[in-house]
Amino acid sequence: MTIKFHSLKIDTNRNFEIIDITSQINELIDIEEGIISIFSKHSTSAIVVNENERGLLSDLEFMLNNLVSDKFSYQHDRIDDNAGSHLKSFLLSSSECLPVKNGKLDLGTWQSVFFIELDGPRRARTVTLTMVGE
C-alpha cells in the first residue's frame, strides 16, 4: 500500500467560477488502483462531482444565488463581507473521495470533478490530493 501527496494551484477570475479540474487530477495520479481524496483548503470554495454541461452549471449558480441571497444582511459580513460565499460553501463540500482504476479517476460517463470558486477572483487556491493504493 502506497500513500502519495500532490497539490494543485488554481487561479480564478470571477467571484463565482466553476473550473473542471478532472484532467489536471488525472495527470497527477501516480497509483494504479486505490482511492484519492481531493480537498480544497479554502472555506469559500468547494469540490464537487457532476456533469460538465453548461446549462447545469449555470443552474447551479442560479440555485446557490437564490438560496443565499445578497438581499439579506449576514452576521459574518461585519468581519470581511463574504458571508454569502461561506454559506454557499456550507451547502456544497470541501472534498470528494473517489476511486482510482488503471491510473485514472474511475468516474461515470458524464462525471467531472470541479473546483468551485465562491469568493473570487483569487490567486493560488490550493487543492490537495491524497492517494492511497498500489
Side-chain angles (χ1 to χ4, degrees):
M1 189 71 52
T2 304
I3 300 174
K4 305 276 184 147
F5 302 95
H6 291 286
S7 65
L8 294 173
K9 295 293 185 189
I10 300 171
D11 294 335
T12 63
N13 300 305
R14 294 186 299 279
N15 182 259
F16 181 90
E17 188 172 356
I18 301 172
I19 301 169
D20 187 334
I21 59 173
T22 310
S23 62
Q24 291 172 273
I25 293 168
N26 276 328
E27 289 175 13
L28 292 172
I29 291 175
D30 54 5
I31 59 173
E32 281 301 306
E33 310 288 330
I35 58 171
I36 184 169
S37 169
I38 305 159
F39 173 70
S40 173
K41 297 182 82 171
H42 309 280
S43 59
T44 57
S45 68
I47 301 292
V48 300
V49 174
N50 214 306
E51 183 175 345
N52 192 352
E53 189 277 315
R54 185 181 321 146
L56 180 62
L57 300 180
S58 180
D59 290 342
L60 174 62
E61 181 177 10
F62 176 80
M63 178 195 73
L64 289 171
N65 286 337
N66 281 284
L67 289 172
V68 182
S69 175
D70 288 337
K71 68 182 177 182
F72 298 115
S73 176
Y74 298 105
Q75 299 275 331
H76 182 71
D77 282 339
R78 295 178 298 177
I79 296 171
D80 57 8
D81 200 34
N82 67 348
S85 300
H86 286 281
L87 293 169
K88 290 172 184 176
S89 180
F90 271 122
L91 296 172
L92 300 171
S93 178
S94 61
S95 66
E96 290 283 347
C97 188
L98 301 171
V100 173
K101 187 173 182 180
N102 298 320
K104 300 288 180 200
L105 292 168
D106 189 23
L107 296 170
T109 302
W110 305 110
Q111 290 180 317
S112 294
V113 180
F114 298 100
F115 175 85
I116 301 182
E117 174 64 72
L118 299 166
D119 194 32
R122 297 288 180 111
R123 296 289 169 243
R125 292 289 214 175
T126 302
V127 174
T128 61
L129 308 174
T130 304
M131 293 160 252
V132 179
E134 299 182 20

